[in-house]
Amino acid sequence: MTREEDIRNAVEVMRKGGVILYPTDTIWGIGCDATNAEAVKRVYDIKQRDDSKALICLVDSDARLQRYVRQVPDVAWQLIDSMKSASGDPGAGNSQARPTTLILDGAVNLAPNLIAEDGSIALRITQESFSKELCYRFQKAIVSTSANISGEPAAQNYRDIDPQIIEKVDYVCWSRRQEHQPHQPSSIIRLRQNGEVEIIRK
């Protein structure tokens, strides 16, 4: 299967409300349409996770990120620019900077059960080629939560994913399945409208 076919299949599944397993700029993730509340609920169910714990979303560009936040603080753009200049493609094994997820206030245009109680959302602009292309083709934010049962270790590579997870999703991407190298979750930074910055996960 070509990468193009793989992406086309994954996009088609998500457009129908399905859930996928896919490689990201960090670890393997469970994904779905971030605007579809039913699909998001299925992701929580698959992970056996309390839906009060918000999930991360991936987007492919600055413009897409702005669709999901009422007002992006200036400090966020500064961080995004610095991450872009330092980032490589993890799928190609040349990443120089750890991907960073931003928690931003004023989430809009997303499934209600994806947004935290305080109205914030965790978003990351992926620079990795497969997940970036997937987000671009889908034209929406895609949920990206670690492919593991809640409380279990995150799956760094496809071979680490619990068979229970694989059985419950609607599509498993073929790209990067053979990969076997260390990956880690993203850093997480909380940014508030007043410019306050809090590091949640280094």
Side-chain angles (χ1 to χ4, degrees):
M1 181 185 293
T2 66
R3 192 174 87 156
E4 181 67 28
E5 289 169 335
D6 200 14
I7 288 172
R8 195 183 312 130
N9 291 342
V11 166
E12 187 176 336
V13 166
M14 288 191 292
R15 282 184 179 150
K16 292 177 179 176
V19 175
I20 67 168
L21 266 178
Y22 68 114
T24 76
D25 54 340
T26 57
I27 53 182
W28 270 72
I30 305 173
C32 71
D33 178 352
T35 69
N36 183 325
E38 282 299 314
V40 170
K41 182 181 183 301
R42 276 193 61 207
V43 172
Y44 280 116
D45 290 346
I46 289 168
K47 280 185 68 76
Q48 299 173 31
R49 179 171 175 169
D50 187 337
D51 66 7
S52 66
K53 296 181 179 179
L55 303 175
I56 291 170
C57 295
L58 285 190
V59 292
D60 64 316
S61 66
D62 298 0
R64 194 93 61 203
L65 181 137
Q66 290 183 87
R67 290 187 189 180
Y68 302 111
V69 180
R70 282 197 185 88
Q71 185 178 355
V72 181
D74 289 341
V75 66
W77 295 125
Q78 293 165 19
L79 274 167
I80 288 165
D81 287 342
S82 66
M83 285 186 285
K84 278 183 192 169
S85 62
S87 68
D89 183 346
N94 65 346
S95 177
Q96 291 107 31
R98 187 170 172 189
T100 301
T101 299
L102 303 179
I103 299 178
L104 302 167
D105 291 326
V108 292
N109 303 321
L110 291 163
N113 53 345
L114 197 55
I115 299 169
E117 288 182 6
D118 63 2
S120 65
I121 186 66
L123 288 164
R124 186 167 74 252
I125 300 173
T126 178
Q127 302 300 328
E128 182 268 332
S129 60
F130 183 86
S131 52
K132 192 177 185 76
E133 180 74 8
L134 183 64
C135 289
Y136 174 74
R137 295 288 179 192
F138 191 56
Q139 295 283 296
K140 292 183 189 178
I142 298 175
V143 166
S144 178
T145 183
S146 56
N148 61 302
I149 304 295
S150 190
E152 297 292 321
Q156 294 187 40
N157 297 281
Y158 174 74
R159 65 179 69 187
D160 304 320
I161 301 173
D162 188 316
Q164 284 185 72
I165 299 277
I166 295 170
E167 288 168 12
K168 289 179 180 176
V169 302
D170 303 302
Y171 183 74
V172 182
C173 290
W174 286 90
S175 298
R176 291 177 56 195
R177 278 199 199 183
Q178 303 307 316
E179 193 173 273
H180 186 57
Q181 56 181 308
H183 293 285
Q184 56 185 340
S186 69
S187 298
I188 300 178
I189 298 176
R190 177 76 161 93
L191 302 179
R192 299 192 183 275
Q193 288 294 343
N194 62 5
E196 184 183 322
V197 178
E198 179 187 358
I199 297 171
I200 304 293
R201 182 168 70 198
K202 288 187 177 182

